[in-house]
Amino acid sequence: MTNIKKLFLCDNFILPLIIINALVIFVQEFKGVPAWIGYMDNIFTLLFVVELVIKIRSYGFRNYWMNNWNRMDFILVTISLLSLVQFASGSQMIPLNFLLTLRVFRVFKSFRLIRFVPNVKEIISGVQRAIKASYVVIIAFFILLFIFSILTCSIFKDVAPEYFDTPFNSLYNIFRIFSIEGWYEIPDLIAERSTLWNAFFTKIYFVLLLFGGGILGMSIINSIFVDAMVSDNNDELNEKVEELGRKIDLLSKQLENKN
């Protein structure tokens, strides 16, 4: 029993299980897959439940829950239990069609691989720092997107209803233009359906839209986000430079005192 406990507390044992389970989930979505593949997925789920129980009994629930990765594991394993409910109940016992969709939640078990990524804590803290630094710009960007989606909808909804018939559809397609996805196809289509002068102003409008939202807007967000991501490394470098400067000043004072 002690050996089993040590085994489930060892990351070198759990990591291969997660990887194999992720591959099983991937293969299971193909047609004509043997039934034993589904049984394997349920076996892995049971193994993760055993891991969860052993960790809670070993660390205590309070200490177990204090760890962020353990909380994530607990939530993902709990979600994956839905597939076991579906397997155990069967369509005859609980004839509810929505249970067939519960198997989708199995894919969330693959998120457990994230905690084994090297330097993942630094990456996550960098992302959090970047979001805090750029959230104002992101909000401003979406306000700009919202305004232009309504404006574009009111101007072009009759000319290109497949793109701008509603504000929601317009919002999606303006975001596509901001991301430089099909930015030239939409204005070219509108230009074909318009007079010469309308076609000219349409292309000018979408070029300005692309430049303001796509090139400037997205570039500013990316630059702020990336700068915040690497700021931790810059802070460490600045601290080393300041420490080196203090040592140089101290050495200079010592030389002055000797002279």
Side-chain angles (χ1 to χ4, degrees):
M1 188 66 182
T2 304
N3 292 332
I4 295 176
K5 180 179 177 181
K6 290 181 179 179
L7 194 64
F8 279 92
L9 293 176
C10 178
D11 287 340
N12 291 331
F13 172 72
I14 297 299
L15 178 59
L17 289 182
I18 297 174
I19 294 175
I20 297 173
N21 187 214
L23 293 175
V24 168
I25 294 171
F26 177 80
V27 171
Q28 211 169 1
E29 294 303 317
F30 290 92
K31 294 181 179 180
V33 176
W36 61 267
I37 296 291
Y39 299 147
M40 283 186 61
D41 180 52
N42 292 319
I43 291 172
F44 280 116
T45 300
L46 289 174
L47 290 174
F48 294 141
V49 172
V50 172
E51 177 207 2
L52 185 148
V53 172
I54 288 176
K55 284 187 174 181
I56 291 177
R57 294 188 63 180
S58 300
Y59 305 140
F61 184 79
R62 185 172 182 178
N63 293 329
Y64 172 87
W65 195 254
M66 289 176 64
N67 185 284
N68 292 328
W69 295 114
N70 287 340
R71 286 201 294 267
M72 186 188 75
D73 286 349
F74 183 88
I75 294 172
L76 295 177
V77 171
T78 302
I79 291 175
S80 65
L81 285 175
L82 295 173
S83 61
L84 281 181
V85 173
Q86 177 196 346
F87 175 77
S89 61
S91 58
Q92 295 179 354
M93 295 179 61
I94 306 179
L96 297 176
N97 291 331
F98 76 89
L99 283 176
L100 297 176
T101 62
L102 298 182
R103 63 195 185 101
V104 176
F105 289 103
R106 294 171 305 174
V107 73
F108 287 107
K109 290 188 287 186
S110 303
F111 278 115
R112 301 185 71 204
L113 288 169
I114 295 175
R115 67 190 180 101
F116 295 98
V117 175
N119 302 320
V120 66
K121 291 183 179 180
E122 289 77 6
I123 295 173
I124 293 176
S125 63
V127 171
Q128 292 174 341
R129 186 171 55 251
I131 292 174
K132 289 179 181 179
S134 57
Y135 77 93
V136 175
V137 180
I138 293 174
I139 293 173
F141 174 80
F142 277 101
I143 292 174
L144 181 70
L145 175 65
F146 179 78
I147 293 172
F148 276 110
S149 65
I150 296 176
L151 178 63
T152 308
C153 176
S154 63
I155 297 174
F156 298 107
K157 63 181 178 181
D158 294 328
V159 183
E162 63 267 49
Y163 294 113
F164 307 112
D165 58 337
T166 64
F168 182 79
N169 198 16
S170 177
L171 184 73
Y172 169 71
N173 286 292
I174 292 299
F175 184 78
R176 284 181 57 198
I177 293 171
F178 281 179
S179 62
I180 319 180
E181 173 64 29
W183 72 271
Y184 61 91
E185 298 172 359
I186 296 175
D188 285 349
L189 177 65
I190 296 174
E192 291 177 1
R193 300 174 180 177
S194 305
T195 61
L196 181 62
W197 281 106
N198 288 338
F200 174 76
F201 285 111
T202 295
K203 293 183 178 181
I204 294 296
Y205 175 82
F206 279 97
V207 166
L208 294 175
L209 200 65
L210 173 68
F211 184 78
I215 298 177
L216 290 181
M218 297 291 282
S219 298
I220 290 173
I221 292 175
N222 289 334
S223 62
I224 293 175
F225 195 89
V226 172
D227 183 67
M229 279 283 292
V230 301
S231 64
D232 188 46
N233 296 331
N234 293 337
D235 293 340
E236 184 179 353
L237 180 61
N238 291 333
E239 290 178 1
K240 291 182 178 180
V241 171
E242 291 177 358
E243 183 180 357
L244 181 61
R246 288 192 295 268
K247 290 181 179 179
I248 293 174
D249 292 339
L250 180 61
L251 182 61
S252 299
K253 291 179 180 179
Q254 291 177 350
L255 291 174
E256 290 177 359
N257 293 333
K258 289 182 178 180
N259 295 333

